[in-house]
Amino acid sequence: QTTHRGAALHTHPTAQPAMGGSASTLEVPGGGTEGYHILKLHLNSPGDRAGLEPFFDFIIAVNGVRLNEDNDHLKKVCAENIDKPLQLLVFSSKDQSVRQVALVPSNTWGGSGLLGVSIRFCSFEGAAENVWHVLDVQPNSPAAAAGLISNTDYIVAADALLDSSDDLYMLIEKHNMKPLRLYVYNSDQDRCREVTITPNDAWGGDGSLGCGIGFGYLHRIPKKPRQAAPP
């Protein structure tokens, strides 16, 4: 174990597979490693009702057309099919699987957009590697105050882009004594939640969070069988 300012850092560089393991172990119909990443999902929206998962899901095709370029095709198809079912092909970085999702665009669901999702076109290559495992939450620490749970919590996103292992630690350093919003997946509950934590290097214990953070092959989200979306 080495210590990084802001949290204890556990890494296992020799156990790391090659980047792109998600693409090499799973054949994506149409090829390529790009898609529309679901960043946010509004409650009771068409995307929510279809069972899309924020942070983990990438829309890679719609009605049989591969979405491997950042253009208006998805937007156009949705606008042309309001209140009609679309067939999406979705890659999950959590499950390392591709599934079919039926989604009905709507302009009357009660929120903005036809799908109720925020998306970003990017690569899903190596997406499963960018998670930070919460370990050893100390009593009375900033991590404990924020409700982080040892061993079953995984930090999957923040308001800033997290593309490499060091990005989270740099973000923690910049937010000493300032609120930091994180998005955390819990493997027991199988859901994501928003967590606000205030790093404090003078809280009275180790680091500014008061927990360990594991990164690497041995600290990835455990795979679970996917449950079907409710009708």
Side-chain angles (χ1 to χ4, degrees), residues 42 54 85 115 159 193 207 225:
H42 296 286
L115 305 185
D159 284 342
R193 69 189 191 279

Side-chain angles (χ1 to χ4, degrees), residues 19-23 28 31-39 55-60 66-70 91 93 120-130 161-163:
M19 284 292 287
S22 61
V28 174
T33 60
E34 289 85 22
Y36 286 96
H37 191 194
I38 308 292
L39 301 177
F55 313 117
F56 299 119
D57 278 353
F58 294 75
I59 301 172
I60 60 174
R66 179 73 171 89
L67 300 172
N68 52 8
E69 294 182 8
D70 188 11
F91 170 76
S93 63
R120 175 176 70 108
F121 185 80
C122 61
S123 173
F124 51 79
E125 187 174 34
E129 300 169 17
N130 287 332
L161 200 58
L162 302 178
D163 276 338

Side-chain angles (χ1 to χ4, degrees), residues 1 14 17 29 31-32 37 40 71 90 98 110 139 160 178 192 194-196 216 228:
Q1 172 178 322
T14 58
H37 191 194
K40 291 185 180 180
N71 53 36
V90 177
V98 173
K178 301 174 185 176
C192 284
E194 212 174 274
V195 170
T196 299

Side-chain angles (χ1 to χ4, degrees), residues 136-148 150 197-211:
D136 307 323
V137 174
Q138 300 299 307
N140 304 314
S141 65
L148 290 178
S150 299
I197 188 168
T198 304
N200 180 357
D201 57 12
W203 72 271
D206 291 336
S208 62
L209 298 188
C211 69

Side-chain angles (χ1 to χ4, degrees), residues 104-195:
V104 180
S106 172
N107 53 12
T108 59
W109 66 271
S112 60
L114 298 177
L115 305 185
V117 301
S118 296
I119 56 177
R120 175 176 70 108
F121 185 80
C122 61
S123 173
F124 51 79
E125 187 174 34
E129 300 169 17
N130 287 332
V131 297
W132 291 260
H133 192 190
V134 176
L135 306 165
D136 307 323
V137 174
Q138 300 299 307
N140 304 314
S141 65
L148 290 178
I149 303 170
S150 299
N151 303 317
T152 58
D153 269 353
Y154 296 80
I155 299 167
V156 296
D159 284 342
L161 200 58
L162 302 178
D163 276 338
S164 69
S165 61
D166 288 340
D167 288 349
L168 177 63
Y169 308 109
M170 293 172 64
L171 196 62
I172 291 168
E173 287 184 7
K174 291 178 181 177
H175 282 78
N176 188 48
M177 303 299 292
K178 301 174 185 176
L180 172 62
R181 184 162 57 180
L182 303 174
Y183 299 91
V184 178
Y185 170 79
N186 184 272
S187 57
D188 278 350
Q189 301 168 8
D190 193 25
R191 69 177 183 89
C192 284
R193 69 189 191 279
E194 212 174 274
V195 170

